[in-house]
Amino acid sequence: MAAELVRGQNHPLSRNRIEIRISADAPVVAGATLADESGRVRGADGVAHPGAPTLPGIEVSRQAAAEHRLAVDLDAMPETVHRVSVLIALPAAPGGPLRFGALAAPRAAVTGLDGTEVAGYTLVGLDAESAVVALELYRRQAVWKIRAVGQGYAGGLAALLTDQGLPQAVELARGIEEAVARGLARSIPAHAADTDRSRRTAAPVTGADPQGTASAAGSPHDVQASGGPGGLQGAVGSGVPAAAVPTGGPVDYTHPRRRQASGPTAPETPAPADGPAPPVAGDAVGWSMDERLYNQVWGMFEDLARSTAACRSALDFAESRMEKELDQLLADPRSRLGSAGDAAREAAQAQLADQARAALDRDLAQLTAESEVVEPALPPAYARWDNPVWHGYRVPAEPPMAVRLGDLHLPESDPLRIPMLVRLPLERGLWIDSGVPDASPYEEAGELRHLALQAAVALAARLLAVHPAGEFGVQVIDPAGAGASALAPLTGAGALDAPPATGAAGVAGTLGRLTERVDLVQMAMRGGASDALPPGLDTSRQLLIVNDFPHGFDDRAVNQLRYLADEGPDVGVHLLLVADREDAAAYGPLLDPLWRSLMRLTPVPDDHLADPWVGHAWTYEPCLVPPGSQVLEQVLTQVATARTKRM
């Protein structure tokens, strides 16, 4: 999945012609400021707004709207511009909201011109602010990056522009508000918020612009996962969902990408008069069914995160504020000291807790019903190994947009599982932790190491299966040859590019070839001479499985592995490490950057991943092949056969 940013996080930009998409629950003003290297805006001609929507390299909307698309061409930016700040503000409309805290959190997303999302940021934690800097594009050593800012201003546009160092900021803010007022009659209405979490549906929209595609933690989202605790995004902004704070009306927590008021056509499901519409697979925006399912899964993930957060907040409130609430009910001190007071306390606390759990149970029932419809409809890249879709598997003609790494769930949501989808191509390496966790049922370390390598094989087989023949290869380093039995499905089907490398010579040879490949492709890309690569160089994407690291690795091999982890993903070389961090303790902090650069997965359920919205600790479960199933061998045989025919 695309990177889901948290406040202060940055992300590289791989393209210079992009769109910035803003979505909110009420009409907002969108604009941008162009600042120099010191971050100062030199004058009004450095601000794109509805009254002056076009500047070199950027164009913004001419009116307030619930959804915006800002066109950005960073190649056309003046050389003096080093920072582009994307701002949104509430217009001073009669009867309109006066602060962002009264609305569901707005969202900003950076996408390619084809709608493929690069990164997104949900602006949680806003309260009295009426203007906010959402995102920032900044130039660093001739390379552009994105940063999630989320800096709000209760003083509105005038305070925001003043903070940007703009002369006559108050006059310019007044001029922007006047331009917006002239266009409010033409503003695009916001999506109507439901009074519950029922899935909304709509008739097919013809000719409408599509929403941005996703990417959940991360990843569940690209999900930006760290190598240690903190997982998909690590620290989170506010941590308190808006549902815990009364705002005078219902707040719609449904993910913006699941709203059906705009975007390409989606399934039409008329809502019955006596209740919410039944769930439908693909009930999200997107150009293809795969994209709609991907966005739907992302929305389910966020819905579950926010619903659980609302329940937990309500339960905490019932516990911590019980005494204050009961002061109003138990005015007589004598009753407070007797059994009647205790009974009233318990009854009030139980009522609040029951209400919170009832709301969560309702949401879980809806999500469970949706999951029961979505899971059977998932394509092979998104499906579990026990899904019947694998029995009709055929080698695809093009790669998917994402792949399933496992399942995620919360203690309150068991047995509901949310697929953990990560965008392809993989932007970072993977690490399957073979260390024995606390309270593990596996007493023998060797048993867990075997299970970790089985998880790696299942993941490698999935990546092979979802790519066209010849476009993805797998190589294995197994220094001691200890993983022969777990690797049997890959070796037996002939799905590997070469037999597993063993011994010091095998380790050095494999790492040397892949390092050379990375160097050559990098030089060709930087020099714009991709046609100058040596004849016969395999440019297909490669996955390197390393078992029992760091056994069999000398200092040079360790440095090469770190180089592949850092530089490989950009040129099609991906790392899948099966290792126990304790085995590498002798290297000390030298390997800390390696562990941090990899997304940590586990062969057994473990709650080490966190979502980017409220920071729940999610339990991750790997996608393993059911015992006794031959599906893995059948799929790999087809992959190997298709690759042989292509040669």
Side-chain angles (χ1 to χ4, degrees):
M1 297 182 180
E4 186 69 25
L5 306 180
V6 296
R7 185 174 181 178
Q9 184 179 358
N10 58 31
H11 188 76
L13 265 179
S14 58
R15 60 194 80 184
N16 285 349
R17 296 187 65 193
I18 58 175
E19 285 186 351
I20 298 175
R21 304 186 180 192
I22 306 293
S23 59
D25 269 8
V28 296
V29 182
T33 60
L34 310 185
D36 58 18
E37 198 167 7
S38 64
R40 296 183 63 84
V41 182
R42 295 303 180 183
D45 57 354
V47 182
H49 58 84
T54 304
L55 292 179
I58 190 167
E59 183 175 0
V60 304
S61 304
R62 297 175 180 269
Q63 61 189 28
E67 294 186 357
H68 292 268
R69 287 188 176 191
L70 284 62
V72 180
D73 185 353
L74 297 173
D75 290 330
M77 285 287 172
E79 293 184 359
T80 55
V81 174
H82 288 261
R83 186 177 303 173
V84 180
S85 298
V86 179
L87 58 94
I88 59 175
L90 293 170
L98 302 178
R99 60 189 184 90
F100 278 109
L103 303 171
R107 176 177 169 80
V110 178
T111 75
L113 299 184
D114 60 353
T116 301
E117 184 169 315
V118 177
Y121 172 42
T122 302
L123 285 77
V124 297
L126 298 178
D127 187 11
E129 298 89 342
S130 58
V132 60
V133 177
L135 295 174
E136 179 181 87
L137 309 176
Y138 64 98
R139 195 193 321 239
R140 182 72 52 82
Q141 296 178 348
V143 176
W144 286 93
K145 294 185 177 183
I146 317 161
R147 178 182 289 121
V149 180
Q151 178 62 54
Y153 298 85
L157 273 175
L160 186 154
L161 296 174
T162 299
D163 194 41
Q164 298 256 333
L166 189 72
Q168 300 178 332
V170 176
E171 291 79 0
L172 179 58
R174 188 179 301 117
I176 294 174
E177 291 170 357
E178 291 173 356
V180 171
R182 291 193 296 270
L184 274 178
R186 296 177 287 117
S187 65
I188 302 172
H191 296 294
D194 291 340
T195 56
D196 61 20
R197 285 190 59 266
S198 301
R199 297 290 167 262
R200 290 183 295 279
T201 57
V205 180
T206 303
D209 290 332
Q211 293 279 356
T213 58
S215 129
S219 295
H221 354 2
D222 175 27
V223 235
Q224 294 273 326
S226 67
L232 295 180
Q233 281 286 359
V236 181
S238 65
V240 179
V245 183
T247 59
V251 176
D252 177 15
Y253 286 118
T254 303
H255 196 277
R257 276 168 281 189
R258 280 145 69 79
R259 294 172 179 157
Q260 298 299 311
S262 65
T265 57
E268 180 179 5
T269 307
D274 57 348
V280 177
D283 188 14
V285 296
W287 287 110
S288 65
M289 187 61 172
D290 284 5
E291 184 179 346
R292 294 199 296 269
L293 286 168
Y294 173 89
N295 287 335
Q296 187 172 13
V297 169
W298 180 278
M300 292 168 61
F301 178 51
E302 182 171 354
D303 286 352
L304 180 56
R306 296 193 184 280
S307 296
T308 305
C311 178
R312 291 180 179 179
S313 296
L315 293 176
D316 290 343
F317 175 82
E319 182 71 27
S320 62
R321 301 295 300 275
M322 180 181 65
E323 196 68 36
K324 181 178 179 180
E325 294 292 326
L326 289 174
D327 283 346
Q328 301 175 10
L329 301 175
L330 304 175
D332 188 350
R334 291 172 298 178
S335 64
R336 292 174 60 84
L337 298 175
S339 59
D342 293 337
R345 289 186 183 89
E346 294 175 1
Q349 185 178 9
Q351 182 180 11
L352 289 172
D354 289 345
Q355 290 175 350
R357 293 191 180 97
L360 179 61
D361 289 343
R362 181 196 65 222
D363 292 349
L364 287 176
Q366 292 176 352
L367 283 169
T368 299
E370 186 170 15
S371 176
E372 291 173 351
V373 172
V374 169
E375 278 286 356
L378 294 177
Y382 305 171
R384 295 191 185 101
W385 286 109
D386 58 0
N387 191 310
V389 71
W390 286 107
H391 295 289
Y393 168 78
R394 293 294 182 270
V395 177
E398 58 183 25
M401 64 183 296
V403 69
R404 185 174 191 157
L405 296 186
D407 294 330
L408 297 170
H409 70 92
L410 294 169
E412 295 90 341
S413 69
D414 198 45
L416 175 63
R417 300 293 189 267
I418 303 296
M420 179 179 172
L421 303 182
V422 174
R423 285 294 295 266
L424 292 177
L426 296 172
E427 295 183 356
R428 58 194 305 188
L430 305 174
W431 162 35
I432 299 182
D433 190 352
S434 60
V436 179
D438 295 337
S440 171
Y442 297 92
E443 298 180 359
E444 296 292 335
E447 186 179 359
L448 198 60
R449 291 178 191 271
H450 180 77
L451 189 60
L453 188 54
Q454 284 184 324
V457 168
L459 181 53
R462 180 183 294 269
L463 289 169
L464 280 168
V466 302
H467 283 83
E471 293 190 10
F472 195 91
V474 176
Q475 300 187 44
V476 176
I477 291 179
D478 185 21
S485 61
L487 293 169
L490 292 173
T491 56
L496 296 179
D497 287 359
T502 58
V507 172
T510 302
L511 292 177
R513 287 191 298 273
L514 289 176
T515 301
E516 181 182 18
R517 178 193 185 279
V518 171
D519 289 338
L520 290 173
V521 176
Q522 278 187 337
M523 287 189 292
M525 291 175 59
R526 290 168 182 168
S530 57
D531 55 348
L533 288 170
L537 180 69
D538 184 6
T539 57
S540 64
R541 292 192 172 273
Q542 296 287 321
L543 178 72
L544 174 62
I545 302 177
V546 179
N547 185 38
D548 271 352
F549 175 79
H551 298 300
F553 280 71
D554 55 20
D555 291 344
R556 184 172 185 273
V558 168
N559 288 331
Q560 287 178 317
L561 193 70
R562 289 182 55 187
Y563 176 75
L564 292 177
D566 293 338
E567 305 294 335
D570 289 339
V571 292
V573 176
H574 309 281
L575 183 61
L576 177 52
L577 201 64
V578 180
D580 179 359
R581 190 168 182 173
E582 293 299 320
D583 292 343
Y587 286 92
L590 177 65
L591 289 181
D592 285 350
L594 174 64
W595 304 118
R596 287 196 298 266
S597 70
L598 303 175
M599 180 188 297
R600 177 176 175 256
L601 306 175
T602 54
V604 293
D606 188 72
D607 59 349
H608 66 283
L609 297 177
D611 66 74
W613 303 288
V614 291
H616 293 316
W618 292 76
T619 297
Y620 165 82
E621 293 182 4
C623 275
L624 299 175
V625 179
S629 173
Q630 299 298 313
V631 64
L632 198 64
E633 289 77 4
Q634 295 169 4
V635 168
L636 288 174
T637 298
Q638 289 197 46
V639 170
T641 301
R643 187 170 63 173
T644 301
K645 291 180 179 179
R646 187 177 181 274
M647 292 179 177

